[in-house]
Structure formats: structure tokens, C-alpha cells
């Protein structure tokens, strides 16, 4: 199902023509309205008129998270503040937050992009949407709320947390759609099992999950445990929150809302564009945002782009499921390791729960990786010998598949804190100056 057939099935020629027009408008506008961009363009020796073809976007300077912090709170605003009708923010893990202001038009675009996400997930006005993304400064709660309201769903704004209440509401109200992070979906599944409620027998049929990396095996685990189809949403505060990309019934990559966001992939080290289809860092330029347009924002997310015919009929380019963030990449025995690779391998081991944490320590000059994963209750309780056997099995599997030696700790059930939002997967215990 399509929400906006015209926008979602445009020919590449028509789309690129529209993108160029919107790109030129955006560049001209930020040059005029935002001193930060004026300065950056000057330093790069570029004028708005230099953007004649879509590829010319590569001449523009990148914007990075520290730029947003330096310009905190509203230095990147391109409209008078009286035109701002909403401000979201993301705290990140350190330092000052970054802000996401919206005009009334921006909220309209956001609702449209999210309505496409819901519709692609097979959600209609008949559905009851339990929205367990956090409401507040985080863009998840109110972003999903806007989209579901536009589709005319009945929205139940549970926000995140109070897991037992989530399950009671899910059962009593007959929620058909659940929106939250994938790790919270797993927390809900587990709690429901403990409450002896079989979610598979409830009307719930679709989930729209995002805001953190998760692998295909994790998706399958969630689908099996909740008895639903697990769909995906991708986005970031800097670009207006969720609604940047979404997957469709093919569940094979996420379509980017290309009439709103121009995507590029660059080499994460050299920042040069990579050939189409190759993995690298995802860069976005907003094409329609009014309050805070973004020029070539470096997301730090690693993925690749595929422009191919999709079974759903959409022509919008697809990005692969995010592989990981450059921030989260570890170098273990000289090998680049992303948490998602370990996740995928752990989910193949039947003796463990899909609850894990990666601890990184220094051992001499080398980084050492400790994989903490919960044993299933009966496995953990079978005694030390059984635990050693499973630890060795997992370490052997990781060594065999990735060529790295890791220490595996099979920890007791419930050892790892359950997530209600974004899960904490990596605990970095290296001294700051050695990371
Ligand atoms: O997480 C916006 C969002 C809310 C997206 C709800 C989807 C659903 P931030 O808090 O600014 O915004 O975090 C953005 O989260 O750069 C990615 O690293 C990660 N991320 C978001 N969606 C996905 C996803 C929201 N589907 C950062 N897969 C991004 C992997 C994701 N990572």
C-alpha cells in the first residue's frame, strides 16, 4: 500500500529534477539566513550558483554533530523564531544537547513522511496504534503520533516504560500495532511471557521499530515472540526525527523519502563519495525543511544505497539496514567489529537469550572484547561445567566466523538491564585517552 503514490513512485528523472530544484532553494536559503553556512560556504569557496547538477552537492561542506552543539540552541535556525512551533532535542551521551526546531510546514512534512512509513507497514485507519516510543523531547513519541493521526489510526500514547501496563493495555484495548525500539519490543515480549500472557493470541499484528541498530535475526526473534510482522523506521533528530526512511512489505532495505532527503554515501575515512552499492557513511541534505535545513549531515551510520526495482512498486532508493555507527566500531585484534555482527552470531546460539552487552577493555596495547550474554534459565542452572561448554562454543563460533578471539561470559538470566528505549550495547572501559 502507498500513502502518496505520486511521490513514492516517481521516475528517477522526475525525482532528480525535483531534488535539484529543492537543493538549490535550500542552499540559497541557508546562505542568506544562516551565518554558520555562509561562513562554511565561504571557507569552501562555494556559492549557491555553483550547484548546477545534483552531483554538485559533493562540493558543499559537511555538517557534523559538534557544529550543532556549537550553534546550540538555535544558531542553525533559518526562520524567525516566531515561525517555530515545536522544538525537539536529543541529549546524546555526552555534552550539550542538540535541538530540532520545526515550523508548521515542517510538522506537515513530518506527518506525511510518517504516514508513508505506517502505510508501507500495512497500517490503516482501522488500526489501534500503541505508541511506546518515549513522548517528550525525543522525536520518537510525537513523530509516530503525528503520522498515525494523519492515517486516522486510534492512537494510544502509552510512551515508553511501565511495561506491565503496556501489556495490560495491549490486551484490554486490542492494540493492533506496536511502535517502540526493537530492544523494548523484546522487553515487552519477555514481560508478557512472565505475566503468562501470550501476545501471539492477542490482536497485535504489526510492529514499527527503530531508533537503534538491530539485525535481521533480531527482527525474526521479535516476530516469532510477538507473533507479528516487524517493520522498521529510521531517522535522526538532526533531520527531523523518524520519517527519513522506512521499510515496505518486501522487508529488504528501507526506502528513503527522497523528495525530502538527499542521500549520499561517502568513505568514512576519506569522505570521498563511494561507487553506488558500496558501504560507507550515510550523509543527508534536507530538501524541504524550513526551520533548520541541514546541509550534508554526517550521520555516522554505516549502510549502502541500492536503486533497484522493489516488489512494492516504490521507486525511492533503498538503504540497507544500518550496519552500525562509526562511533561503535571496535578494533579487536586488528579487525573492525560492529556490535551488530556479534548480535547476529549470538542469535544463532540456542542456549542463550537475545540479551547481551559488549565490554571493551585494554589488555596491554590491545583491545579486549568481553561478550556478556544471558544463558537460558535451564542452561545457566545446569552448573559451571555446562556454562564453560557454552562459553567455549560461543567463543569458537565468533572466532570461526570473524577471526577474533573474545572472552565470553555466560551471565545469569536478568543480569543485563532491560531496555525501555535505546539499549546500551557497548560498555567501554578503556581509559579515555586510549580509545
Ligand atoms: O532515534 C529517531 C527515531 C525515532 C528513529 C523512532 C526511528 C524511530 P536520534 O535519537 O537522534 O533519533 O538517534 C538517531 O539512531 O543516527 C542511528 O544511529 C540510530 N537509528 C535510528 N533509527 C535506526 C534504525 C531517533 N532503524 C540515531 N536502525 C541514528 C539503526 C537507527 N539505527
Amino acid at each position: 500500500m502507498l500513502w502518496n503514490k505520486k511521490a513514492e513512485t516517481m521516475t528517477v528523472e522526475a525525482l532528480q529534477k525535483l531534488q535539484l530544484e529543492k537543493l538549490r532553494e535550500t542552499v540559497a536559503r541557508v546562505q542568506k539566513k544562516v551565518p554558520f553556512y555562509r561562513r562554511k560556504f565561504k571557507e569552501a569557496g562555494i556559492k549557491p550558483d555553483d550547484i548546477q547538477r545534483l552531483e554538485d552537492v559533493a562540493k558543499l561542506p559537511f555538517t557534523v554533530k559538534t557544529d550543532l552543539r556549537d550553534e546550540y540552541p538555535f544558531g542553525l535556525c533559518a526562520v524567525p523564531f516566531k515561525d517555530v512551533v515545536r522544538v525537539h532535542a536529543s541529549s546524546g551521551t555526552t555534552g550539550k544537547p542538540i535541538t530540532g526546531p520545526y515550523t508548521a510546514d515542517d510538522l506537515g512534512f513530518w506527518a506525511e513522511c510518517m504516514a508513508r512509513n505506517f502505510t508501507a507497514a500495512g497500517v490503516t485507519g482501522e488500526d489501534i496504534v500503541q505508541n511506546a516510543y518515549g513522548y517528550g523531547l525525543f522525536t520518537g513519541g510525537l513523530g509516530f503520533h503525528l503520522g498515525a493521526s494523519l492515517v486516522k489510526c486510534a492512537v494510544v500514547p502509552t510512551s515508553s516504560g511501565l511495561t506491565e501496563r503496556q501489556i495490560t493495555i495491549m490486551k484490554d484495548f486490542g492494540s493492533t500495532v506496536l511502535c517502540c525500539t526493537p530492544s523494548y519490543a523484546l522487553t515487552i515480549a519477555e514481560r508478557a511471557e512472565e505475566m503468562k500472557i501470550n501476545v501471539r493470541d492477542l490482536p497485535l499484528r504489526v510492529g514499527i521499530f527503530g531508533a537503534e541498530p538491530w539485525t535481521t535475526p533480531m527482527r525474526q526473534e521479535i516476530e516469532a515472540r510477538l507473533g507479528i510482522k516487524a517493520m522498521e523506521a529510521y531517522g535522526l533528530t538532526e533531520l527531523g526525527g523518524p520519517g527519513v526512511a522506512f521499510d515496505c512489505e518486501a522487508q529488504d532495505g528501507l526506502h528513503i523519502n527522497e523528495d525530502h532527503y538527499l542521500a549520499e554515501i561517502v568513505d568514512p575515512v576519506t569522505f570521498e563519495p563511494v561507487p553506488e552499492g558500496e558501504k560507507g557513511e550515510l550523509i543527508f541534505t534536507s530538501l524541504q525543511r524550513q526551520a533548520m535545513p541541514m546541509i550534508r549531515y554526517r550521520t555516522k551510520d554505516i549502510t549502502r544505497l541500492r536503486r533497484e526495482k522493489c516488489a512494492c512498486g516504490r521507486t525511492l532508493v533503498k538503504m540497507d539496514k544500518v550496519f552500525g555507527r562509526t562511533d561503535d566500531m571496535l578494533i579487536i585484534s586488528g579487525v573492525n567489529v560492529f556490535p551488530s555482527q556479534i548480535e547476529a552470531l549470538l542469535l544463532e546460539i540456542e542456549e542463550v537469550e537475545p540479551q547481551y552487552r559488549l565490554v571493551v577493555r585494554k589488555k596491554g596495547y590491545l583491545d579486549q572484547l568481553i561478550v556478556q550474554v544471558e544463558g537460558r534459565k535451564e542452561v545457566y542452572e545446569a552448573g559451571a561445567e555446562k556454562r564453560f561448554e557454552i562459553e567455549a562454543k560461543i567463543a569458537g563460533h565468533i572466532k570461526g566466523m570473524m577471526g577474533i578471539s573474545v572472552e565470553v561470559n555466560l551471565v545469569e538470566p536478568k543480569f543485563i538491564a532491560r531496555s525501555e528505549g535505546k539499549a546500551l550495547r557497548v560498555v567501554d572501559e578503556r581509559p579515555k585517552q586510549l580509545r
Side-chain angles (χ1 to χ4, degrees):
M1 268 191 305
L2 296 162
W3 174 258
N4 182 337
K5 186 157 191 274
K6 183 162 174 281
E8 295 177 70
T9 62
M10 256 187 222
T11 62
V12 176
E13 295 71 37
L15 174 73
Q16 292 185 340
K17 186 162 172 274
L18 177 78
Q19 285 185 314
L20 178 61
E21 184 190 311
K22 299 283 175 203
L23 174 66
R24 286 173 52 93
E25 272 172 33
T26 301
V27 171
R29 203 149 44 81
V30 297
Q31 160 86 14
K32 212 159 131 206
K33 307 276 184 189
V34 188
F36 165 84
Y37 285 115
R38 206 151 49 229
R39 200 173 62 239
K40 295 264 282 200
F41 291 173
K42 194 168 169 211
E43 282 164 14
I46 179 139
K47 293 185 295 303
D49 262 354
D50 297 335
I51 308 297
Q52 293 295 335
R53 302 166 311 149
L54 213 43
E55 302 78 67
D56 291 337
V57 69
K59 297 178 181 164
L60 294 166
F62 292 110
T63 307
V64 294
K65 203 177 214 100
T66 49
D67 294 327
L68 276 90
R69 295 224 166 98
D70 294 345
E71 296 294 325
Y72 174 84
F74 302 122
L76 293 181
C77 242
V79 297
F81 205 76
K82 68 173 175 45
D83 294 342
V84 170
V85 299
R86 172 88 65 81
V87 181
H88 282 279
S90 122
S91 56
T93 39
T94 49
K96 274 191 243 166
I98 55 136
T99 56
Y102 301 74
T103 63
D105 281 349
D106 289 334
L107 288 186
F109 299 145
W110 198 13
E112 155 78 24
C113 288
M114 285 310 299
R116 294 182 195 173
N117 199 155
F118 276 104
T119 309
V123 176
T124 69
E126 310 273 299
D127 277 297
I128 302 175
V129 174
Q130 182 163 338
N131 187 9
Y133 282 109
Y135 277 65
L137 288 176
F138 178 51
T139 53
L142 285 161
F144 274 76
H145 191 108
L146 261 184
S149 301
L150 187 59
V151 176
K152 294 199 166 65
C153 304
V155 188
V156 188
T158 49
S159 194
S160 63
L162 298 177
T163 308
E164 278 187 28
R165 193 183 65 176
Q166 298 278 358
I167 295 157
T168 310
I169 285 180
M170 186 181 285
K171 179 164 157 276
D172 293 351
F173 294 12
S175 308
T176 53
V177 181
L178 173 67
C179 303
C180 61
T181 59
S183 57
Y184 193 42
L186 210 53
T187 305
I188 292 176
E190 184 182 68
R191 194 78 199 96
E193 284 157 24
E194 287 162 3
M195 289 164 72
K196 305 264 180 304
I197 291 176
N198 188 352
V199 179
R200 303 182 59 92
D201 295 339
L202 302 182
L204 195 75
R205 58 179 193 85
V206 180
I208 306 181
F209 306 123
E212 62 183 3
W214 56 316
T215 56
T216 300
M218 184 64 94
R219 177 206 286 261
Q220 288 158 351
E221 172 87 17
I222 294 171
E223 291 191 328
R225 285 174 82 155
L226 291 174
I228 61 174
K229 204 142 188 66
M231 307 298 288
E232 182 156 1
Y234 169 87
L236 50 160
T237 313
E238 296 85 329
L239 272 313
V244 174
F246 57 91
D247 69 350
C248 60
E249 68 252 29
Q251 289 185 308
D252 171 37
L254 290 86
H255 291 283
I256 294 173
N257 277 313
E258 283 188 284
D259 49 339
H260 290 270
Y261 302 99
L262 177 62
E264 301 167 74
I265 300 282
V266 300
D267 182 300
V269 179
T270 64
F271 304 122
E272 291 298 322
V274 302
E276 200 179 306
E278 270 185 33
K279 248 192 217 160
E281 180 174 345
L282 184 58
I283 310 290
F284 282 115
T285 300
S286 71
L287 297 174
Q288 310 226 27
R289 285 175 63 75
Q290 301 297 308
M292 193 174 78
M294 261 305 127
I295 303 292
R296 297 194 88 202
Y297 185 71
R298 279 186 44 206
T299 64
K300 298 200 169 184
D301 292 323
I302 302 288
T303 184
R304 65 190 174 114
L305 297 180
R306 284 181 280 146
R307 192 173 293 285
E308 61 191 29
K309 204 167 157 40
C310 185
C312 72
R314 286 176 186 79
T315 49
L316 301 172
V317 75
K318 290 204 272 191
M319 60 184 250
D320 275 359
K321 240 171 156 354
V322 171
F323 193 62
R325 289 181 59 77
T326 52
D327 284 345
D328 289 340
M329 189 185 85
L330 304 167
I331 302 176
I332 307 295
S333 331
V335 179
N336 296 350
V337 177
F338 282 96
S340 62
Q341 292 169 287
I342 307 270
E343 175 178 299
L345 294 179
L346 291 176
L347 277 141
E348 288 171 7
I349 309 283
E350 48 177 281
E351 291 90 346
V352 302
E353 293 289 339
Q355 299 286 352
Y356 70 96
R357 214 165 66 169
L358 307 180
V359 182
V360 198
R361 291 193 189 128
K362 267 282 171 226
K363 197 174 178 188
Y365 288 112
L366 296 178
D367 285 336
Q368 186 195 18
L369 182 62
I370 298 126
V371 177
Q372 296 181 331
V373 58
E374 285 181 12
R376 290 204 188 278
K377 191 165 179 289
E378 61 286 4
V379 174
Y380 189 81
E381 286 171 356
E385 208 167 309
K386 181 75 182 166
R387 291 203 289 273
F388 293 149
E389 179 198 316
I390 304 302
E391 285 172 350
K393 171 172 159 180
I394 298 171
H397 189 45
I398 293 175
K399 174 98 187 162
M401 299 301 287
M402 298 178 64
I404 55 166
S405 299
V406 301
E407 183 183 321
V408 177
N409 289 341
L410 199 75
V411 295
E412 65 191 292
K414 291 294 164 62
F415 178 85
I416 289 166
R418 295 301 184 254
S419 157
E420 294 181 352
K422 295 179 190 250
L424 178 71
R425 300 291 192 202
V426 180
V427 182
D428 198 338
E429 295 184 349
R430 293 171 295 185
K432 277 231 160 55
Q433 65 278 17
L434 294 180
R435 283 179 193 173

